[in-house]
Amino acid sequence: MKLYYKPGACSFSPHIILRETGLDFSLIKVDLATKRTEAGDDYFAVNPKGQVPALLMDDGSLLTEGVAIVQYLADKVPDRQLLAPAGSMTRYHTLEWLNYIATELHKGFSPLFNPATPEEFKTITRQALEKKFKYVNEELHDKQWLMGLRFTVADAYLFTVLRWAQALKLDLNGLSNIEAFMERMKARPAVAAAMTAEGI
């Protein structure tokens, strides 16, 4: 399998999960500004959406969208317990978190990454995100991971967007549960390996 990625972008989440699964894969860096791969190939020829992540399978089929990719990867190696089995409420609560992170957190950052966004709107956006991260901090109270004692695909995604929050200097002061979560994530070998591979 080949994972098309941009260092530190949302593709970082499936990159972590690939390393957690132990599956064989290679990385292909994409320049999203030029839509070219590191070899100079046209990225639109791989993924017509022009965004990362994209996972190219050995049979030539393509899967895009990080939330779909991590579910696929987790289901390929059920023994790693990265996502609870179908039919269990734990699975649906994990999917609930994936959707919350995707729609309320991840997409919430878009205006902050856009240089055309007016400063007043950026301030409103930052305040909205900070409020949502307070909610996440409360949800992590007395929990090692979002689902409790077991690491799941949702934790990799949360870690990815929390890194953006830190990079953009959102006010996370006093959010001690998030701080502890970040340290636990960095201590995971798969996370450390992904960070090293992406140079972040």
Side-chain angles (χ1 to χ4, degrees):
M1 290 186 290
K2 293 176 182 171
L3 178 69
Y4 290 82
Y5 80 105
K6 177 189 172 190
C10 54
S11 49
F12 186 50
S13 167
H15 183 183
I16 291 170
I17 298 304
L18 272 163
R19 292 187 183 273
E20 290 279 354
T21 64
L23 295 166
D24 188 37
F25 72 98
S26 58
L27 291 169
I28 299 176
K29 194 192 298 190
V30 177
D31 182 332
L32 291 179
T34 63
K35 305 297 182 185
R36 296 270 164 194
T37 69
E38 56 193 327
D41 298 324
D42 177 11
Y43 184 53
F44 281 119
V46 177
N47 179 9
K49 294 176 183 173
Q51 298 298 320
V52 293
L55 187 67
L56 186 63
M57 313 296 181
D58 296 337
D59 66 1
S61 61
L62 187 76
L63 186 61
T64 63
E65 304 301 327
V67 168
I69 292 171
V70 297
Q71 289 176 68
Y72 168 77
L73 293 171
D75 284 339
K76 277 189 75 72
V77 285
D79 58 302
R80 299 288 172 112
Q81 298 182 345
L82 297 167
L83 183 60
S88 70
M89 280 309 295
T90 302
R91 182 185 185 94
Y92 304 114
H93 284 306
T94 308
L95 300 182
E96 180 182 19
W97 269 112
L98 283 175
N99 281 282
Y100 181 79
I101 297 164
T103 60
E104 298 298 321
L105 302 180
H106 179 169
K107 280 301 163 193
F109 278 94
S110 297
L112 300 179
F113 291 133
N114 185 344
T117 303
E119 284 307 313
E120 317 86 77
F121 188 64
K122 283 187 178 182
T123 300
I124 294 166
T125 300
R126 292 173 74 90
Q127 289 169 348
L129 281 168
E130 286 163 1
K131 185 176 179 185
K132 287 170 185 173
F133 281 121
K134 282 180 184 168
Y135 163 73
V136 172
N137 186 68
E138 289 164 14
E139 287 297 306
L140 283 168
H141 179 67
D142 285 341
K143 288 182 187 170
Q144 193 169 359
W145 308 109
L146 287 170
M147 289 294 99
L149 294 174
R150 185 162 298 286
F151 172 89
T152 70
V153 291
D155 296 299
Y157 198 6
L158 178 60
F159 180 68
T160 299
V161 297
L162 278 167
R163 289 189 74 260
W164 303 342
Q166 291 174 334
L168 292 170
K169 297 187 172 27
L170 263 62
D171 183 7
L172 302 178
N173 286 329
L175 305 186
S176 56
N177 298 326
I178 281 179
E179 197 175 315
F181 169 84
M182 294 298 279
E183 291 309 309
R184 281 192 294 276
M185 283 296 295
K186 288 176 195 168
R188 293 186 73 83
V191 174
M195 291 180 81
T196 299
E198 295 197 13
I200 56 176

